[in-house]
Amino acid sequence: MCRRDSSGYNVNVFEGKQEQMLKVCEHIQETGFIPKELVQNEVTWFYGNLGIDDMYFMLESVDTIASHIIALYGSKILAFTKSDHTLDVNLVRETDENAVYIHTSRPGVSQTIEYQPEKSIDEKYLDISNKEQAFRLETYRSSGTVSSSFDAQLRCYFVAKCDFVQPMPSPEEESNIRLVSDKIFLSKATENTLEVYQKVINNVLSRTGPVIEVFNIEGSREKRLVIGYRQRSTQHFFSAMSDLYHYYDLYSSRKYVEQFSNGVTIMCLYLNPLANSRSPPIEHSIYQVMKEASLIYCLPTTPLQSFFQTKVLSVQESIYGYVCWIFCQHFLNRLGNEYSTLAGIMDANNSTHLEVLTKLKKRLRSDTFTREYVLDII
């Protein structure tokens, strides 16, 4: 069911942004990697025209921001020398407490290259989150392009270790969102979001499986998809959800993953339709995303994932192929009638005969219909 929804989070505002920008300019000039006459323009574009959320400038030091601007400048030079109109930026800073990822991102397209930031975030932070140690995530798409010469946008991911109001809530406290939440989340969330998440938490605690809600954003076609589930009840779910909505030509402007000390995780996605899309309107496709989110929750990744990411197969088709693969492994008779006949002739009390049969069985199963061979056929 779609409901109306106002802005879910307070806008990040960094009061010291202008002062920080001047320090970044000075630092870059000292390094000498960017010509002095271009430093002001590059820094101004990075701070203003690029449209990076203020969360980035609040978290990062002057040295780190300067390094990122230099790296972005270098990427543009490299793309120019290769006569390539595509820009590839991958900036990563990871620690045990937090992480920042910045990379070029095309709206509505899943990354199929070797390095995929969202899968890394899943593996290192989200999948391992529990009541004792959890990580929240904020991610934003830049509103502007990296420069006037390249139309590439950046996506920024901010991961932070949770600091719960009540790390060990009692049974009476675990349903109170103001007690089980991360302190940063409480400072950013609007009353509307707290109300929505409270209902989702109550439903998650009282049932098995994910709780999925969708809301209309007033004044736009954007949809807000909210999914609640128990921590460690699924794997790679965050990255798999991106593949799912990309299949329907949708892209996200911002995404959040919130953890709670009662063992609940809530994912919030703000989805928009791609321009000139051939897929059904978002008003219809959002319901399909809701339905298939439950399927993705149960089986986030399969060996056929690349076909799903590139839109060769739908999520149902890729999972059906995976089920067929598993079925074949379990029920395909790889030994044959001849083996059964031979086993009947051999003396079951003879250790030499048993050893030969065991080796023969192992060889037949490993060298005939292997897992890889069956997968190739499928």
Side-chain angles (χ1 to χ4, degrees):
M1 176 180 180
C2 276
R3 306 171 188 169
R4 293 196 175 277
D5 179 55
S6 59
S7 177
Y9 286 76
N10 295 316
V11 178
N12 296 313
V13 178
F14 180 36
E15 299 294 343
K17 190 174 180 179
Q18 192 66 31
E19 181 182 351
Q20 184 192 66
M21 185 172 71
L22 296 176
K23 293 180 179 179
V24 170
C25 283
E26 294 175 0
H27 189 281
I28 293 177
Q29 287 178 349
E30 291 174 0
T31 63
F33 288 111
I34 299 178
K36 288 187 177 181
E37 58 272 17
L38 298 179
V39 170
Q40 184 67 41
N41 182 61
E42 291 294 325
V43 174
T44 301
W45 189 283
F46 190 85
Y47 269 80
N49 301 62
L50 188 53
I52 295 180
D53 191 86
D54 274 16
M55 180 76 173
Y56 168 79
F57 302 104
M58 294 165 62
L59 292 177
E60 297 300 332
S61 65
V62 170
D63 291 353
T64 301
I65 296 173
S67 298
H68 288 171
I69 293 175
I70 293 172
L72 182 59
Y73 178 79
S75 298
K76 289 187 285 187
I77 296 296
L78 180 62
F80 177 79
T81 58
K82 295 190 301 182
S83 299
D84 192 351
H85 294 290
T86 60
L87 190 67
D88 186 22
V89 176
N90 285 297
L91 305 174
V92 180
R93 179 181 62 78
E94 297 176 334
T95 70
D96 293 337
E97 300 287 327
N98 52 63
V100 175
Y101 302 80
I102 301 176
H103 70 94
T104 44
S105 173
R106 287 177 56 198
V109 178
S110 293
Q111 287 202 330
T112 56
I113 58 176
E114 183 176 349
Y115 177 71
Q116 300 178 37
E118 293 193 352
K119 287 191 175 181
S120 181
I121 292 171
D122 268 332
E123 293 171 359
K124 296 180 180 179
Y125 299 101
L126 301 184
D127 288 351
I128 65 171
S129 291
N130 54 37
K131 295 180 181 180
E132 289 73 34
Q133 176 176 271
F135 297 88
R136 67 182 299 271
L137 168 70
E138 296 183 31
T139 171
Y140 306 90
R141 176 177 297 280
S142 66
S143 57
T145 58
V146 295
S147 75
S148 57
S149 305
F150 297 93
D151 60 358
Q153 290 181 307
L154 296 182
R155 177 168 282 284
C156 306
Y157 300 84
F158 307 104
V159 181
K161 189 175 182 179
C162 293
D163 181 15
F164 297 117
V165 175
Q166 179 55 272
M168 300 292 290
S170 65
E172 294 76 22
E173 296 172 332
E174 68 175 8
S175 60
N176 187 335
I177 191 171
R178 297 186 184 275
L179 296 179
V180 298
S181 294
D182 171 73
K183 294 177 182 178
I184 294 179
F185 163 71
L186 282 179
S187 68
K188 292 186 174 186
T190 62
E191 287 299 320
N192 174 266
T193 290
L194 292 176
E195 180 183 345
V196 170
Y197 285 15
Q198 179 67 75
K199 293 178 180 178
V200 172
I201 287 175
N202 292 341
N203 288 330
V204 171
L205 293 176
S206 63
R207 60 181 287 186
T208 301
V211 175
I212 305 172
E213 299 278 356
V214 66
F215 303 87
N216 291 320
I217 303 298
E218 294 186 11
S220 74
R221 297 182 66 194
E222 188 174 52
K223 305 295 180 183
R224 184 187 188 191
L225 185 66
V226 179
I227 306 174
Y229 54 95
R230 293 182 183 271
Q231 293 167 353
R232 294 197 173 187
S233 60
T234 185
Q235 297 284 309
H236 305 292
F237 188 44
F238 176 68
S239 55
M241 280 301 301
S242 295
D243 294 335
L244 176 59
Y245 62 72
H246 287 163
Y247 181 82
Y248 291 100
D249 285 346
L250 304 177
Y251 72 93
S252 63
S253 57
R254 50 196 170 123
K255 299 186 281 190
Y256 304 87
V257 178
E258 305 294 353
Q259 309 285 357
F260 300 90
S261 60
N262 58 4
V264 173
T265 298
I266 293 181
M267 183 190 304
C268 179
L269 314 174
Y270 288 82
L271 303 178
N272 297 271
L274 285 175
N276 303 318
S277 170
R278 295 184 179 180
S279 294
I282 189 173
E283 290 78 11
H284 300 293
S285 60
I286 191 65
Y287 291 106
Q288 198 63 30
V289 172
M290 287 180 66
K291 293 177 183 178
E292 294 176 359
S294 296
L295 189 57
I296 290 290
Y297 169 83
C298 298
L299 198 59
T301 58
T302 72
L304 303 175
Q305 191 75 10
S306 60
F307 295 100
F308 175 44
Q309 290 177 319
T310 54
K311 301 183 181 181
V312 175
L313 297 177
S314 67
V315 62
Q316 295 98 332
E317 291 169 335
S318 61
I319 290 180
Y320 181 78
Y322 173 75
V323 171
C324 289
W325 181 52
I326 297 297
F327 180 87
C328 290
Q329 292 179 48
H330 284 290
F331 297 101
L332 189 64
N333 183 5
R334 291 178 282 182
L335 299 178
N337 295 329
E338 292 80 1
Y339 175 83
S340 300
T341 302
L342 181 61
I345 297 173
M346 303 289 270
D347 184 1
N349 297 319
N350 189 314
S351 59
T352 303
H353 289 189
L354 289 177
E355 183 179 357
V356 171
L357 278 175
T358 301
K359 289 182 178 179
L360 181 60
K361 181 189 291 186
K362 184 177 180 180
R363 176 66 63 85
L364 288 171
R365 285 182 169 171
S366 61
D367 293 348
T368 52
F369 292 99
T370 64
R371 289 166 56 92
E372 293 76 14
Y373 181 60
V374 174
L375 182 60
D376 287 341
I377 293 174
I378 292 177

